[in-house]
Amino acid sequence: RQDELLREKIRMLEGRLMEMIRHGGDNLVLSDKMLRWARDLFLVEAEDLIPEAIVDSIQLQFAVPQTAIRLWGVDEAFAGESWAQRVSEDARLLADSLREPFCGVNSGFEATQWLPQPEQAVSLALLPLRPLEAGNSGPAFGMIVLASPDAQRYTSTMGTDFLVRIAEVASAALSRLR
């Protein structure tokens, strides 16, 4: 009986160890994608191309079906760019209210209208962009939308640490446009 309990405990610990090793491998892959995405942003020379590079590279590196970005309060030189257009006060207030990325079902958020195919956005991640010196509490100057037709891609129970890092890197890259 004692041997049987010990064997069961060993099997359980082996299972946990294998799960930790798998998670470590997944994190390594994710970290590599994050570094490639950041590298892509460093290579963008023209300031006005940074917003599009952010969303295009997110789509490519992380296999996100749809992405969009909007910025407000940008330098007047960029006011005519597509990523600086049509942001309502409600969308700005939503971005300001988010202390971390929102992940969940699309319940009719205005930001989905920024996507190429808004009707296919079933689950969303909304990433507020803030000046880095303001940390998590300053007013947002933009928002990134990640969307998927898969209802389980972005859920309210998923961790957002990685998405927070994406927002921080994007905010830093976009600081030149303000």
Side-chain angles (χ1 to χ4, degrees), residues 133-151:
E133 63 275 3
N136 216 18
S137 60
F141 68 85
M143 190 161 49
I144 297 174
V145 181
L146 310 178
S148 175
D150 177 1

Side-chain angles (χ1 to χ4, degrees), residues 31-94:
S31 177
D32 186 51
K33 288 179 181 184
M34 182 71 167
L35 289 172
R36 278 186 272 154
W37 176 69
R39 178 207 57 209
D40 289 350
L41 297 184
F42 281 124
L43 295 174
V44 177
E45 292 181 27
E47 292 174 335
D48 62 325
L49 298 179
I50 295 170
E52 290 170 8
I54 286 171
V55 295
D56 290 347
S57 191
I58 285 173
Q59 232 173 326
L60 177 69
Q61 295 296 338
F62 305 107
V64 176
Q66 291 192 81
T67 57
I69 190 170
R70 286 293 186 276
L71 306 174
W72 46 90
V74 295
D75 188 276
E76 191 62 34
F78 306 111
E81 299 291 338
S82 62
W83 40 262
Q85 302 300 310
R86 299 177 311 276
V87 179
S88 73
E89 188 62 26
D90 285 346
R92 292 176 192 207
L93 289 171
L94 172 64

Side-chain angles (χ1 to χ4, degrees), residues 10 14 37 63-64 95-96 100 108 123 162 170:
I10 289 171
E14 284 175 342
W37 176 69
V64 176
D96 279 344
E100 62 182 37
S123 68
F162 179 69

